[in-house]
Amino acid sequence: MSTAPKAVVFHTSTSSTELDCNDDDIVLITHSKSGANCVLQKFGAHVLSYQTAAGKPLIMLSKDAIMDGSAAIRGGIPLCFPQFGQPDKSFPQHGFLRRNKWTVVEGSEFDTDDAAGIKLELELKDVTVARGDGTWGNDTKLNCKCILTVSIDDKSMTNTLEMQNLGTEAFDFQVLLHTYYLVAMGKALDHELCNVKGFEGYMVDDKVSGETYTLGSDPVTIPDVIIDRVYTPPEGKIDLNLTIAAGVDNLVDLKANGDVDGTKVPVSGVVWNPHKIKAEAMGDFGSDQYNDMICVEPGLLNNVPQLKGGKTATFTQVMTSI
């Protein structure tokens, strides 16, 4: 007798929670051929977990994440658009995608030998929270629709965000996938077991120290304080290709690319970990969970062309367990 798939989310290597699959807001994707699975929450089109066919969880969700829709979900993969951070003070940090409920695109679910997946969508007219009172407020002439496609196979997950300008006026935007990787066995502060390779030659903007510099050959590791650094690619570097060591026996290959109306745009990256002091100050994050995660966040952040009326931009990340 076969066992029904379960919607399990992971907080640490040894701590997890089973969600109610009968909850209409929870979406469980299972790749029947391999057994790999992914759990999403319609609020924010938020990926909460991805587990490979070998049973390895790659995504971390805070054990204290707020799941009732009253706030953005801590952990998983928050979607940031049309801004990362808050360069435009007229609407909230990281934009409105992660603060509103999305709809499953009818007929989009699939489960083949190659992969399984689903699409969710959100139109601006359905955005009720986090629009602000300026650029994207209720009186704006701007209009957009976003479609998230999530696809999984035995050892990889692909997230593609399609951003459509439904209006006639062009708009500026940034997009970023704020991915929380689960660091196996709580080894986030162990530089040998948790690090990021592939940012060599990138310009670093350290948001904590205020320093800017070009990264040498050393891998990125979590220091003895909070890490919040933006990595901007050098001239001629377009796509992002990283290797993430996320704890004991846990290597992830990350690839990301994006385009605006068919023109490829250089991909930046952010590395973040709140460390002890900030973790203790966050009400929706376990005070010791900084040991269990590292955020490696690809995005289009600098010199992004405007998205003109009737045009589309796309951004894709592929994470593969290696």
Side-chain angles (χ1 to χ4, degrees), residues 48 53 89 114 279:
L48 303 177
K89 303 301 182 184
D114 292 333

Coordinates of all heavy atoms in Angstrom, one line a residue, residues 48 53 89 114 279:
L48 N 8.4 26.9 0.0 CA 8.8 26.6 1.4 C 9.8 25.5 1.6 O 10.5 25.5 2.6 CB 7.5 26.2 2.2 CG 6.3 27.2 2.1 CD1 5.1 26.6 2.9 CD2 6.7 28.5 2.8
A53 N 15.2 13.6 -4.7 CA 14.8 12.2 -4.7 C 15.6 11.4 -3.6 O 15.1 10.4 -3.1 CB 15.0 11.6 -6.0
K89 N 11.3 54.8 -1.7 CA 10.6 54.8 -0.4 C 9.1 54.9 -0.4 O 8.4 54.8 0.6 CB 11.2 56.0 0.4 CG 12.7 56.0 0.6 CD 13.2 54.8 1.3 CE 14.7 54.9 1.5 NZ 15.3 53.6 2.1
D114 N 10.3 13.5 -17.0 CA 11.5 14.5 -16.9 C 11.3 15.4 -15.7 O 12.4 15.7 -15.0 CB 11.6 15.3 -18.2 CG 12.0 14.5 -19.4 OD1 12.7 13.5 -19.2 OD2 11.6 14.9 -20.5
A279 N 19.6 37.8 14.7 CA 18.7 36.7 14.8 C 17.9 36.8 16.0 O 16.7 36.5 16.0 CB 19.5 35.4 14.7

